[in-house]
Amino acid sequence: MKDSMYLKIVNMIHRHRSWVDALVPKNEATLMARSGVELMPVLRKTMTLVAVRPRSVYPKGHVWDIPEDRLDKAVRMLKKDKRFASRWKSENPSREDVGAIVLHATNGFLDIDLDKFD
């Protein structure tokens, strides 16, 4: 993912946050990845999100590290929609686009529910 688009996503989350905010613009975390049948630690670029208010089973302060490759995979899947692809190409994603990227990148577990107000 281009750094400019990554920063637009982070800024959109920060500007329209409802219960989740972007903690740092770009982070690296050691995550576990499967290599054959073994799990190996791998350093990966991640987007770090934090719950600024409790919601459902997530307490205030809960942190998610979303690997950048998961975000890329979500974008590739969402590009099947020509309107999304057009907004992405023009580097003008909407709030709904950013929410959909995070939702798909987390396998439907994290709906960040961005506010409609600036």
Side-chain angles (χ1 to χ4, degrees):
M1 179 178 299
K2 291 177 15 180
D3 285 342
S4 62
M5 289 305 290
Y6 184 89
L7 289 174
K8 285 185 182 210
I9 291 171
V10 169
N11 289 333
M12 180 81 68
I13 292 170
H14 182 69
R15 190 171 62 244
H16 296 283
R17 67 188 176 273
S18 58
W19 70 283
V20 173
D21 196 5
L23 190 61
V24 290
K26 204 155 205 172
N27 193 14
E28 288 185 341
T30 302
L31 303 172
M32 301 305 284
R34 190 180 343 189
S35 175
V37 294
E38 296 182 35
L39 286 176
M40 309 273 299
V42 177
L43 187 64
R44 298 168 77 179
K45 292 180 182 178
T46 62
M47 176 183 291
T48 303
L49 303 176
V50 63
V52 293
R53 286 192 281 281
R55 183 169 179 178
S56 184
V57 298
Y58 303 113
K60 179 179 178 178
H62 188 90
V63 175
W64 297 268
D65 285 320
I66 305 171
E68 190 174 29
D69 62 301
R70 297 286 307 180
L71 296 169
D72 288 335
K73 185 177 179 182
V75 168
R76 281 192 307 274
M77 192 197 80
L78 291 167
K79 277 184 175 179
K80 293 175 184 175
D81 176 1
K82 292 180 193 250
R83 291 172 293 174
F84 175 89
S86 173
R87 289 189 299 272
W88 189 260
K89 185 176 181 179
S90 66
E91 296 193 8
N92 192 23
S94 68
R95 279 187 320 274
E96 293 79 14
D97 294 338
V98 171
I101 291 167
V102 172
L103 187 65
H104 286 285
T106 59
N107 296 320
F109 285 105
L110 183 57
D111 182 0
I112 58 176
D113 191 30
L114 296 176
D115 280 337
K116 295 169 181 57
F117 307 105
D118 282 324

